[in-house]
Amino acid sequence: MNRKELIAEIKKKKSCLCVGLDTDLEKIPGHLLEEEDPLFAFNKEIIDATAPFCVAYKPNIAFYEAYGLQGWKSLEKTMAYLRQYYPNHFSIADAKRGDIGNTSTRYAKAFFNKLGFHSITVAPYMGEDSVKPFLAFKNKWSIVLGLTSNSGARDFQFAPVGMEQTPLYETVLRKTSSWGNTENLMFVIGATKAEHLRKVRAVIPEHFLLVPGVGTQGGSVEEVMTHGAIPGEIGLLINASRSILYASSDKHFAKTAASEAARLSQQMVKFFL
Amino acid sequence: MNRKELIAEIKKKKSCLCVGLDTDLEKIPGHLLEEEDPLFAFNKEIIDATAPFCVAYKPNIAFYEAYGLQGWKSLEKTMAYLRQYYPNHFSIADAKRGDIGNTSTRYAKAFFNKLGFHSITVAPYMGEDSVKPFLAFKNKWSIVLGLTSNSGARDFQFAPVGMEQTPLYETVLRKTSSWGNTENLMFVIGATKAEHLRKVRAVIPEHFLLVPGVGTQGGSVEEVMTHGAIPGEIGLLINASRSILYASSDKHFAKTAASEAARLSQQMVKFFL
């Protein structure tokens, strides 16, 4: 999916909501545990219910790896289902992968080719030759960690760099931008505060941002879109996971998840007028 | 495996060699492709042949993920084989994982519990709450990226931080050290040059270092051990992958791999006298 197509989907739905498929056997409704593949059964119902309100799905790969072989099968089935029935939804492998050149290429093949994801999150610490292999894949996106929403972001991402004591994350944004373009590179910006979003947009006005931290983590859709949107293009994917997936744990869980997704996407509508 | 046991194994074998199981279907001997599980067949022969000369094995997870479900099965079989027949060899999941708290815990469970690895490599960009969950697992090790051996290390790891313009990797070493101890934390130091090793040891004199970059990547065992060893304890795991695995591609490939492993470990012997 290219940038034009993604923006068209966002505008059509008046939503830039991304649903994080962080599927946890200990949290899904109990009745699903009798299914042959509870993870997939849950994902399928969530996807069917929330698809009208979101433009993207983001499975966090750790949640599937934790279940070994069976988890990987569930992930494969989830991706096959998305590709077949919801091909216009943007898929993100939240894997935060990164390694030296040839090894990064293998990660890229695993997620872009084998699993058919549109995009993958990438960790930047190892620099250019660890990120560029992902960027070499046509019509695929790399979403590089810029500023993350967890408390540990303070440890290194704000390290004051150089004569001007610029926070490290700005260096990461600037340097990484030069390795790709606005058609194959996005950034994870776990910032929901106005001042941070403005600073980020000053460095990267045109790149798409994947913004976690809305929903359970407490950020506001309003603030993110006011200070983070690209005029005319939005250029945001705003993620919520737990607040949607686990909105309820009874037999009607999917409907309740849909309501929560609808509620969040409703807050986005006014930005499309 | 705890630090004492690891050091005892290293001293017993007079070797701190780690064999990187970066198994690539396109490089293994052709006759193995007829096997039901070529990846595992290759790994098994390599392990059996090299075990006398090394103290550790390090599968790079990307190489297995690239083959999807089948790759994961081969990895599981490899780990089951190691745990059953070579329980005193230290195993490293070269995964370079890292995510927010609960998600890191899932990665830890996947590799420590499900696959039974002794240790895992961890990417530090997201800071304390992304690393600490790995450290919470008893008798397990986290090997955090400090200085990597690829050219991209220059992009961020040497970013000059703070008033004293200290390279970022030193900040990473210092801060990360405070989150664990010398019994559960190691660092990836892809440095084979004397000056870098000395600088690293000035910051972290007591931690084990995992050192790639020997063998195909060109570093010298002599230089690494001279400037990186902890007196009396060695405190190093020196990795070689391709130069051992693909030393030959005929029917006797395992024997040739063993010769190369023996050659590298022979260079280490004098440091144990």
Side-chain angles (χ1 to χ4, degrees):
Chain A
M1 189 182 293
N2 65 33
R3 186 188 175 98
K4 216 176 233 178
E5 290 164 338
L6 179 57
I7 291 172
E9 277 301 303
I10 289 172
K11 286 181 172 177
K12 187 175 91 181
K13 284 186 153 145
K14 296 190 176 29
S15 166
C16 58
L17 180 67
C18 175
V19 175
L21 294 173
D22 301 349
T23 313
D24 182 344
L25 281 180
E26 289 175 30
K27 286 184 171 169
I28 68 180
H31 71 275
L32 288 175
L33 297 175
E34 292 154 34
E35 296 280 337
E36 190 191 331
D37 187 339
L39 288 182
F40 173 66
F42 179 82
N43 285 352
K44 182 184 175 305
E45 284 203 57
I46 289 287
I47 290 167
D48 287 341
T50 57
F53 310 107
C54 68
V55 294
Y57 288 100
K58 183 173 77 71
N60 186 300
I61 307 306
F63 285 75
Y64 300 85
E65 274 188 15
Y67 300 117
L69 214 54
Q70 182 50 55
W72 204 259
K73 279 186 196 161
S74 303
L75 180 63
E76 277 188 346
K77 279 157 75 176
T78 301
M79 288 311 298
Y81 189 75
L82 276 174
R83 286 198 318 274
Q84 180 168 7
Y85 296 105
Y86 301 93
N88 295 327
H89 278 75
F90 188 71
S91 57
I92 304 171
D94 196 358
K96 299 182 175 74
R97 297 292 194 260
D99 208 320
I100 62 174
N102 192 30
T103 312
S104 273
T105 299
R106 278 177 163 63
Y107 278 132
K109 284 182 172 167
F111 291 97
F112 290 158
N113 297 352
K114 270 216 164 291
L115 287 165
F117 277 96
H118 292 120
S119 66
I120 183 172
T121 54
V122 176
Y125 190 69
M126 293 178 70
E128 182 170 0
D129 57 326
S130 73
V131 176
K132 264 189 146 170
F134 293 98
L135 293 167
F137 284 67
K138 297 270 174 288
N139 222 27
K140 298 291 187 183
W141 295 81
S142 302
I143 311 179
V144 179
L145 300 182
L147 188 54
T148 59
S149 56
N150 58 315
S151 59
R154 300 253 133 229
D155 289 313
F156 305 124
Q157 295 165 28
F158 285 88
V161 172
M163 298 307 296
E164 302 189 14
Q165 304 278 280
T166 325
L168 176 72
Y169 82 83
E170 274 196 44
T171 306
V172 172
L173 296 182
R174 257 181 246 280
K175 261 210 169 152
T176 307
S177 302
S178 68
W179 305 334
N181 54 56
T182 55
E183 302 281 336
N184 65 3
L185 190 55
M186 299 184 185
F187 290 95
V188 174
I189 298 294
T192 52
K193 297 283 174 287
E195 48 156 316
H196 283 140
L197 286 160
R198 279 202 302 263
K199 280 197 178 123
V200 166
R201 275 305 183 202
V203 182
I204 44 168
E206 302 283 317
H207 286 79
F208 254 85
L209 309 180
L210 169 63
V211 182
V214 165
T216 304
Q217 290 193 52
S220 109
V221 166
E222 170 108 23
E223 198 158 359
V224 173
M225 294 194 75
T226 302
H227 301 285
I230 300 173
E233 292 191 320
I234 306 298
L236 292 168
L237 290 166
I238 299 181
N239 185 80
S241 303
R242 285 166 288 177
S243 62
I244 293 173
L245 298 197
Y246 309 117
S248 115
S249 52
D250 59 35
K251 277 190 160 35
H252 308 291
F253 72 96
K255 237 182 171 170
T256 320
S259 299
E260 177 59 18
R263 190 186 72 78
L264 283 167
S265 74
Q266 194 52 38
Q267 296 171 14
M268 300 172 177
V269 170
K270 72 182 193 188
F271 292 90
F272 291 88
L273 303 171
Chain B
M1 189 180 293
N2 64 32
R3 185 186 174 101
K4 215 178 233 176
E5 290 164 337
L6 179 57
I7 290 171
E9 276 302 302
I10 290 171
K11 287 181 171 177
K12 186 174 89 181
K13 285 189 153 142
K14 295 190 177 30
S15 165
C16 59
L17 180 66
C18 175
V19 175
L21 295 173
D22 300 350
T23 313
D24 181 346
L25 281 180
E26 289 174 32
K27 286 186 171 167
I28 69 179
H31 71 274
L32 288 175
L33 297 174
E34 290 155 35
E35 295 280 336
E36 191 191 330
D37 187 340
L39 289 182
F40 174 66
F42 179 81
N43 285 351
K44 183 184 174 302
E45 285 203 55
I46 290 286
I47 290 166
D48 287 342
T50 57
F53 311 108
C54 69
V55 294
Y57 287 100
K58 182 174 79 71
N60 186 300
I61 307 305
F63 285 75
Y64 300 84
E65 275 189 12
Y67 300 117
L69 215 55
Q70 182 50 55
W72 204 260
K73 279 185 196 161
S74 303
L75 180 63
E76 277 188 347
K77 279 157 75 175
T78 302
M79 289 310 298
Y81 189 75
L82 276 174
R83 286 198 318 274
Q84 182 168 6
Y85 296 105
Y86 301 95
N88 294 327
H89 278 75
F90 189 71
S91 57
I92 304 172
D94 196 358
K96 299 182 175 75
R97 297 292 194 261
D99 208 321
I100 62 174
N102 193 26
T103 310
S104 273
T105 300
R106 276 177 164 63
Y107 277 132
K109 283 180 172 167
F111 292 97
F112 290 158
N113 297 352
K114 269 215 164 290
L115 288 166
F117 276 97
H118 292 118
S119 65
I120 184 172
T121 53
V122 176
Y125 190 69
M126 293 178 71
E128 184 171 358
D129 57 326
S130 73
V131 176
K132 264 188 144 170
F134 292 98
L135 294 167
F137 284 67
K138 297 266 173 289
N139 221 27
K140 298 290 187 183
W141 294 82
S142 302
I143 311 179
V144 179
L145 300 182
L147 188 55
T148 61
S149 56
N150 59 315
S151 59
R154 299 254 133 231
D155 289 313
F156 305 124
Q157 295 166 25
F158 286 88
V161 172
M163 298 306 296
E164 302 189 15
Q165 304 279 278
T166 326
L168 176 71
Y169 81 83
E170 275 196 45
T171 306
V172 172
L173 296 181
R174 256 181 248 279
K175 262 211 167 148
T176 308
S177 301
S178 68
W179 304 335
N181 54 57
T182 55
E183 301 281 335
N184 66 2
L185 190 55
M186 300 184 185
F187 291 94
V188 174
I189 297 295
T192 52
K193 297 284 174 285
E195 47 156 317
H196 283 139
L197 286 160
R198 278 201 301 263
K199 280 196 178 126
V200 166
R201 276 304 184 203
V203 182
I204 44 167
E206 302 283 317
H207 286 79
F208 254 85
L209 308 181
L210 169 63
V211 182
V214 165
T216 305
Q217 289 193 54
S220 109
V221 166
E222 171 107 24
E223 199 159 359
V224 174
M225 294 194 75
T226 302
H227 301 283
I230 300 173
E233 293 192 319
I234 305 298
L236 292 169
L237 290 167
I238 298 181
N239 184 77
S241 305
R242 286 166 287 177
S243 62
I244 293 173
L245 298 197
Y246 309 118
S248 116
S249 52
D250 59 37
K251 275 184 162 36
H252 308 289
F253 73 96
K255 236 178 174 177
T256 320
S259 300
E260 177 58 17
R263 190 186 72 79
L264 283 168
S265 75
Q266 193 52 38
Q267 295 171 14
M268 300 172 176
V269 170
K270 71 180 193 189
F271 292 91
F272 291 88
L273 304 170

